[in-house]
């Protein structure tokens, strides 16, 4: 199997050197960029599986880089490096399509765990020997696991990779109340060390995007978690 390709985008040489050295040791194929312009060129040349992206770049906004990369490379994983305790930066990054974030100054082991967790979600697994039905349906929502597309009532719904994985997990467990811990383990993996409120944030994103074409399907079970069902179901 080919090694996963990682692009590090940061204008601090010491951070680039540290991240590159450690991830190369763990068998990742590395490339780097120090500016937004270099990031676009490197992404086009190296076609990375994942980008570690600083939100503060000398020639542009890292959030705009995130959004542009998400449009041009929809399957790429993106882990943002954000300022310590800057809640607005983390929310903005997730809104622009990032899969996860790490706050500066960060522990390299935490970054490695986040990178591995995102790659587990996005890299294709070995193909099945027999064709499988990849279409999940619930109410008027259709999710195609192979094409990574979602429709509701015939309308395409644009989701980030994490939103897609969250909806997929809810659809696979339709009618079952899922705790925040269960959702984190399935969508963010057991390596995730952030707060459980990330689940509430992404549930809000899904409700808003799916709600543009129909009634809410994601119900809150107070004290327990969330469940995917119509309000007529019990």
């Amino acid at each position: 199997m080919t090694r996963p390709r990682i692009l590090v985008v940061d204008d601090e040489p010491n951070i680039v050197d540290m991240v590159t050295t450690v991830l190369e040791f763990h068998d990742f194929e590395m490339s780097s960029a120090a500016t937004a312009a270099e990031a676009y060129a490197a992404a086009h040349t190296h076609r990375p599986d994942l980008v570690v992206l600083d939100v503060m770049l000398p020639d542009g906004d890292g959030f705009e880089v995130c959004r542009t990369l998400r449009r041009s490379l929809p399957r790429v994983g993106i882990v943002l490096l954000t300022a310590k305790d800057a809640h607005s930066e983390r929310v903005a990054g997730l809104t622009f399509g990032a899969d996860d974030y790490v706050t500066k100054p960060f522990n390299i082991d935490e970054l490695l765990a986040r990178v591995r967790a995102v790659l587990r979600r996005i890299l294709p697994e070995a193909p099945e020997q027999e064709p499988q039905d990849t279409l999940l349906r619930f109410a008027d929502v259709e999710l195609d696991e192979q094409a990574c597309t979602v429709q509701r009532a015939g309308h395409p719904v644009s989701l980030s990779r994490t939103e897609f994985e969250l909806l997929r997990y809810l659809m696979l467990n339709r009618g079952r109340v899922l705790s925040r811990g269960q959702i984190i383990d399935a969508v963010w993996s057991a390596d995730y060390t952030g707060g459980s409120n990330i689940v509430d944030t992404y549930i809000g994103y899904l409700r808003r995007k799916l709600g543009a074409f129909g009634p809410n399907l994601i119900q809150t079970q107070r004290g327990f978690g969330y469940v995917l069902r119509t309000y007529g179901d019990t």
Side-chain angles (χ1 to χ4, degrees):
M1 295 180 61
T2 59
R3 296 186 298 164
R5 299 182 299 275
I6 310 294
L7 170 63
V8 182
V9 183
D10 199 301
D11 64 333
E12 298 184 50
N14 59 322
I15 290 181
V16 173
D17 289 344
M18 176 183 64
V19 173
T20 298
T21 299
V22 172
L23 294 188
E24 279 184 340
F25 176 80
H26 287 276
D27 208 28
F28 294 103
E29 182 180 325
M30 302 300 299
S31 57
S32 64
T35 66
E38 290 178 5
Y40 296 134
H44 177 74
T45 301
H46 299 287
R47 309 294 290 185
D49 298 301
L50 183 142
V51 179
V52 177
L53 173 63
D54 188 15
V55 300
M56 298 293 293
L57 296 172
D59 63 336
D61 185 348
F63 298 130
E64 185 59 35
V65 175
C66 176
R67 179 162 55 184
T68 302
L69 291 177
R70 175 62 65 220
R71 289 172 177 169
S72 59
L73 299 172
R75 294 179 178 272
V76 73
I78 300 175
V79 176
L80 291 181
L81 302 179
T82 70
K84 182 175 177 59
D85 296 328
H87 176 73
S88 60
E89 284 192 356
R90 299 195 294 270
V91 171
L94 297 173
T95 301
F96 283 124
D99 295 283
D100 207 343
Y101 60 82
V102 177
T103 58
K104 287 184 173 182
F106 58 87
N107 182 290
I108 190 62
D109 291 331
E110 178 188 1
L111 177 61
L112 176 61
R114 300 292 181 93
V115 165
R116 283 175 165 167
V118 172
L119 288 174
R120 277 198 298 270
R121 300 200 301 270
I122 67 176
L123 290 183
E125 298 180 358
E128 299 288 342
Q129 294 184 353
E130 297 182 1
Q132 301 290 315
D133 183 6
T134 63
L135 195 63
L136 298 178
R137 297 183 179 89
F138 179 78
D140 57 354
V141 177
E142 291 187 353
L143 181 149
D144 191 321
E145 296 180 280
Q146 184 171 354
C148 296
T149 59
V150 174
Q151 292 189 13
R152 182 165 195 193
H155 300 280
V157 181
S158 178
L159 301 180
S160 71
R161 188 176 304 280
T162 303
E163 292 165 351
F164 181 89
E165 292 296 335
L166 175 56
L167 178 60
R168 176 180 178 274
Y169 184 60
L170 291 170
M171 293 182 74
L172 289 172
N173 292 274
R174 65 196 72 183
R176 177 185 174 196
V177 178
L178 301 168
S179 70
R180 291 174 178 81
Q182 288 174 309
I183 294 173
I184 286 175
D185 287 347
V187 178
W188 282 266
S189 88
D191 294 327
Y192 178 74
T193 58
S196 63
N197 63 338
I198 191 70
V199 176
D200 305 326
T201 299
Y202 270 91
I203 289 290
Y205 295 157
L206 270 184
R207 281 174 169 164
R208 184 169 63 251
K209 291 184 177 182
L210 294 175
F213 307 108
N216 177 44
L217 296 174
I218 306 173
Q219 299 181 28
T220 302
Q221 199 79 9
R222 295 196 179 278
F224 294 93
Y226 296 99
V227 56
L228 185 70
R229 64 182 175 214
T230 62
Y231 274 88
D233 297 337
T234 56

